[in-house]
Amino acid sequence: MPPNIRLPPTHRRPLSFPAVHPCQSISPATILTSLITLSQNISTFQPNSFPTQKRNSRETKRQIQILLIFFQELQSHGSPIPKPIIPIFSNLHFTLQKIHFLFQDCSLQNARLWLLIKSQFIATQFHLLIHSISESLHALPLHVINICDEVKEVIQLLTKQNRTINLVLDHNEERQTKRVISILNQFEKGTEPEVDSIKQVLDYLEIKTWLDCNEEIKFLQYEIESEQEQEKEVSLLSGLKCFLCYCRVVLFETIDFQLITRNRSETRCRRSIEMSTCVPDDYRCPISLELMTDPVTVSTGQTYNRASIQQWFKAGNITCPKTGSPAAAHAIQFASWSLAQRLVFGTDEQKNKASYEIGLLAKSNIFNTACLIEMGTVPPLIDLVLTSTTQENAIFALLKLSKHGNGREFIMESRGLDSIVTVLIKGYSLEARRFAADIIFYLTSVKEYRKLIGENSKVVSGLVELIKKGTIRVKKSAVDAIFGLLLLPRNHPKVLASGAVPAIVNVLCSWEKSYVVNDCLAVLVALAENVDGSRAVLDASGLSLVVGILQSATSRAEKEYCVSILVSLCANIGDEIVSVLVKDGSVIMPLLYAILTNGTPLAEKKARKLINVLQEFDEKKTLGTSVLHQRLLQLN
């Protein structure tokens, strides 16, 4: 693009047209060159490949190609462009920008259903933009422009045509749009639509495969997340998304799992590894995105922070901000029922696909999860986790359902723990074993289950084995599960006896600065609170490691964990630890004083106590052993 032309933002919402007028001081040559570039870009689009608006876009492209000939002819003559023409060209430039945006949107291949439902709006935009071109051409003084007569005649003919042209919605698109609305209305009334009617829509839009359908759902989900402030639009988008979820479940029988696995692997390679510590996703309010301090559950099964949802309803909203419209809710209920039936009565292939679908739906939001649990999907999934052909998808589905309180209850009441532990120890893939560890972590969020899980002698040993031999993601899942078990003090001796401490210390040595550090340190903090745990940390060479992490720590959490471990070691072991820290006082003291100024309140408190003990260590002979011992005991 030539200089002095301000480009609109590269990231924009579909069907938004952030065009800008060229600056008033722009040179004629620059704006002409820019008009040619814009016209050429629009001319490269192939309207026949557009999901909708083929006729309107073809006519618009034809007119732009005529304008391109006019602009190129004007440039080739090299004659000065009269100044009165510059404002007209500026308006044309503004209009062509919008047309370019509109063509980009109409060419989207993963937004077919959305483009169809917006077809009347889009047709209106085409009409308005062609009308704008017509007004600019009508005002164009061709008699003062130095171009050949043939080109002038073509422009005059185009101007005359534009006065009568009417770009309207195609009858087929109008018919299919009405069909989609009818389907949504049926869902809203709690009626399951006829499959033939749905197929007509999908055939028209050429949504032919499971992956096609899934890409449409991803687009709509992104739009929903971007439309939080517009309730009506969110309701429509939610309805469309859940309609397609229903289609994905009921109409598309086969999935190319190899392609999905490859896409998933590529996504993981591109994604930076930034994992939160031991906080389940459903502990955050979907409105404020903050941890919920006063959670309340509405009738759709979605949980919010009380203050956030009260503010939502006070603003006049009457629907659940997460799930949108009743049509969306009923579509998910029908899909959930279909999946539950296939888990029990389907073929092995259908059961595997149903397991995968459950994982996807439950991953989307808690309302979906609640529907799936209510339809009875947990018991049959437990039956499938021990079968090689369905294990990974079934255990993944159970993981997503375990994030819901009812899901955890159904798993335990259905005696699913034994099956999950079996997968943890000898699952057919490392990924399946990781999912099992994640489920155990979520189960430990219930106080009563920590005792039951801890009593299973195979759980802790299986988790420690994953810490020793798993990938970094597997290690993190296993460490998190152990942390959950340690919330019950009676599980501490079993974790210590399993060799968890040296395994975790080895992880810290190998993966320093990775996202697993916080989780490993949190486990060591919990274990070091008693004498046996502190001794285990010391025996595993954990003292020097913790000091080293404290030196290089960048997060406040890491520093707090390190200080907490050092305090516990001093309190539980005594002089043996204090003497080492005093010897390294030139390293330790500056770190502790830094925490006093910018650490968390708890870290400041522990750092202050540790500083006092280290400073008074030299006074041991004067104070006597008993006095120092009392001060060590006061650390905790």
Side-chain angles (χ1 to χ4, degrees):
M1 189 72 71
N4 300 324
I5 294 290
R6 294 177 298 152
L7 288 175
T10 55
H11 300 290
R12 64 180 181 88
R13 298 290 311 286
L15 298 188
S16 66
F17 314 117
V20 291
H21 281 285
C23 59
Q24 293 182 352
S25 61
I26 190 170
S27 70
T30 297
I31 195 170
L32 180 59
T33 301
S34 186
L35 284 168
I36 291 173
T37 301
L38 264 174
S39 301
Q40 289 173 333
N41 289 340
I42 295 171
S43 298
T44 60
F45 284 92
Q46 301 299 322
N48 288 336
S49 67
F50 290 4
T52 59
Q53 305 293 330
K54 291 181 173 64
R55 188 178 66 182
N56 288 339
S57 55
R58 279 198 300 266
E59 173 58 29
T60 303
K61 177 179 176 179
R62 182 187 72 82
Q63 296 202 21
I64 301 304
Q65 288 175 326
I66 293 173
L67 286 176
L68 176 60
I69 294 172
F70 167 62
F71 295 142
Q72 289 174 330
E73 176 73 10
L74 189 59
Q75 188 181 58
S76 66
H77 275 263
S79 301
I81 299 176
K83 286 188 176 181
I85 295 179
I86 300 302
I88 299 174
F89 277 11
S90 179
N91 289 334
L92 280 172
H93 190 278
F94 184 77
T95 302
L96 291 184
Q97 286 179 63
K98 289 192 172 186
I99 292 174
H100 190 227
F101 287 136
L102 191 57
F103 269 55
Q104 288 176 338
D105 295 338
C106 288
S107 65
L108 292 173
Q109 296 301 310
N110 63 341
R112 297 167 183 264
L113 182 62
W114 182 77
L115 289 171
L116 179 64
I117 211 71
K118 292 286 187 179
S119 55
Q120 182 59 67
F121 172 81
I122 297 173
T124 301
Q125 296 305 306
F126 273 113
H127 175 78
L128 293 174
L129 291 170
I130 289 299
H131 182 67
S132 177
I133 290 177
S134 175
E135 289 184 332
S136 296
L137 294 180
H138 184 70
L140 194 65
L142 290 175
H143 63 280
V144 300
I145 301 176
N146 185 22
I147 55 174
C148 65
D149 292 338
E150 290 83 356
V151 174
K152 287 184 179 181
E153 290 175 1
V154 171
I155 294 299
Q156 290 171 341
L157 179 61
L158 180 61
T159 305
K160 186 179 297 185
Q161 289 176 344
N162 277 348
R163 293 175 181 174
T164 58
I165 195 169
N166 188 22
L167 299 185
V168 295
L169 183 62
D170 182 90
H171 292 307
N172 288 332
E173 290 181 22
E174 186 176 10
R175 185 164 51 250
Q176 296 303 330
T177 301
K178 290 179 178 178
R179 181 170 280 121
V180 173
I181 294 173
S182 174
I183 291 170
L184 293 180
N185 288 336
Q186 290 177 67
F187 275 128
E188 187 167 346
K189 295 174 182 178
T191 303
E192 195 166 12
E194 294 183 358
V195 171
D196 289 343
S197 180
I198 295 175
K199 284 184 176 179
Q200 289 184 52
V201 174
L202 298 183
D203 290 343
Y204 178 79
L205 295 174
E206 297 187 5
I207 300 176
K208 299 178 180 179
T209 66
W210 186 95
L211 282 173
D212 290 342
C213 193
N214 197 50
E215 288 302 310
E216 295 275 321
I217 292 169
K218 289 180 180 179
F219 170 83
L220 291 168
Q221 180 61 38
Y222 179 81
E223 288 299 299
I224 290 169
E225 293 171 355
S226 304
E227 288 280 2
Q228 289 296 331
E229 300 303 321
Q230 301 181 32
E231 181 194 355
K232 184 177 180 180
E233 190 71 9
V234 170
S235 179
L236 174 62
L237 291 168
S238 295
L240 295 175
K241 189 194 86 165
C242 293
F243 161 52
L244 286 171
C245 286
Y246 174 87
C247 296
R248 192 182 66 190
V249 167
V250 176
L251 271 66
F252 297 102
E253 292 289 337
T254 59
I255 303 178
D256 187 344
F257 282 110
Q258 290 184 340
L259 180 59
I260 290 173
T261 301
R262 184 165 65 249
N263 290 342
R264 185 189 299 163
S265 299
E266 291 172 355
T267 301
R268 284 176 185 164
C269 290
R270 292 193 301 267
R271 187 189 307 149
S272 61
I273 303 178
E274 294 180 357
M275 305 289 286
S276 60
T277 53
C278 310
V279 179
D281 296 340
D282 51 338
Y283 288 0
R284 297 185 183 276
C285 174
I287 298 175
S288 66
L289 301 181
E290 300 293 335
L291 291 179
M292 290 184 283
T293 57
D294 185 13
V296 59
T297 301
V298 298
S299 59
T300 59
Q302 180 66 52
T303 303
Y304 302 93
N305 209 30
R306 186 181 300 274
S308 298
I309 193 64
Q310 285 177 342
Q311 184 177 2
W312 171 266
F313 288 131
K314 285 180 180 179
N317 300 303
I318 59 173
T319 60
C320 171
K322 189 71 174 177
T323 59
S325 64
H330 289 305
I332 293 300
Q333 288 168 347
F334 284 127
S336 299
W337 171 251
S338 175
L339 289 170
Q341 294 299 299
R342 295 185 185 193
L343 285 180
V344 177
F345 302 110
T347 63
D348 289 345
E349 184 179 359
Q350 288 174 329
K351 290 178 179 178
N352 193 38
K353 178 183 181 289
S355 300
Y356 185 75
E357 293 281 5
I358 290 170
L360 284 184
L361 286 177
K363 184 179 180 180
S364 181
N365 60 60
I366 296 178
F367 174 74
N368 293 359
T369 307
C371 284
L372 290 162
I373 295 169
E374 185 179 346
M375 294 299 174
T377 58
V378 171
L381 283 171
I382 291 172
D383 294 337
L384 294 175
V385 297
L386 299 182
T387 304
S388 61
T389 55
T390 57
Q391 183 178 92
E392 188 164 318
N393 286 330
I395 198 73
F396 177 75
L398 279 178
L399 166 60
K400 295 306 174 183
L401 298 181
S402 71
K403 293 186 176 185
H404 194 285
N406 291 343
R408 295 190 280 269
E409 184 178 345
F410 268 95
I411 288 173
M412 296 301 287
E413 288 184 353
S414 303
R415 298 185 177 181
L417 180 60
D418 289 341
S419 297
I420 292 168
V421 174
T422 299
V423 178
L424 174 74
I425 296 170
K426 48 185 178 183
Y428 292 102
S429 71
L430 199 57
E431 193 76 347
R433 296 175 69 187
R434 179 173 75 87
F435 294 152
D438 286 332
I439 293 174
I440 291 172
F441 164 66
Y442 283 106
L443 291 175
T444 58
S445 66
V446 181
K447 185 177 180 180
E448 294 77 11
Y449 299 161
R450 295 171 201 155
K451 178 177 178 294
L452 294 173
I453 297 171
E455 290 174 349
N456 189 315
S457 59
K458 298 178 181 178
V459 172
V460 176
S461 60
L463 292 171
V464 172
E465 185 70 13
L466 288 182
I467 294 174
K468 292 178 180 178
K469 298 183 178 180
T471 63
I472 188 62
R473 290 168 62 87
V474 173
K475 292 177 190 291
K476 183 184 187 304
S477 295
V479 169
D480 289 349
I482 286 179
F483 179 85
L485 287 171
L486 291 175
L487 294 175
L488 181 68
R490 66 184 296 172
N491 287 330
H492 285 223
K494 296 174 183 177
V495 173
L496 287 174
S498 69
V501 171
I504 289 174
V505 168
N506 284 336
V507 173
L508 287 171
C509 291
S510 305
W511 294 94
E512 191 174 351
K513 293 299 181 185
S514 76
Y515 70 90
V516 79
V517 169
N518 270 357
D519 298 9
C520 288
L521 290 174
V523 171
L524 293 184
V525 168
L527 289 173
E529 288 178 352
N530 58 62
V531 175
D532 291 338
S534 289
R535 179 58 63 180
V537 172
L538 183 62
D539 292 344
S541 302
L543 176 59
S544 59
L545 176 66
V546 170
V547 172
I549 294 175
L550 180 60
Q551 285 182 267
S552 59
T554 56
S555 74
R556 298 174 77 187
E558 286 181 10
K559 294 175 183 178
E560 179 179 323
Y561 289 147
C562 289
V563 172
S564 296
I565 295 170
L566 294 177
V567 166
S568 292
L569 292 177
C570 289
N572 292 323
I573 300 178
D575 288 6
E576 183 180 351
I577 301 296
V578 178
S579 62
V580 174
L581 296 181
V582 168
K583 185 178 180 180
D584 294 335
S586 60
V587 174
I588 297 294
M589 282 301 191
L591 299 174
L592 296 178
Y593 278 113
I595 292 174
L596 289 180
T597 58
N598 58 18
T600 63
L602 181 60
E604 291 176 16
K605 181 180 178 180
K606 293 198 171 186
R608 187 174 291 107
K609 289 184 177 181
L610 189 54
I611 288 170
N612 290 336
V613 169
L614 297 183
Q615 287 178 337
E616 293 171 1
F617 181 78
D618 287 337
E619 303 173 17
K620 178 179 178 181
K621 293 181 180 179
T622 305
L623 294 172
T625 303
S626 60
V627 175
L628 180 62
H629 180 67
Q630 290 177 358
R631 292 188 175 176
L632 289 172
L633 291 177
Q634 293 173 357
L635 282 174
N636 286 335

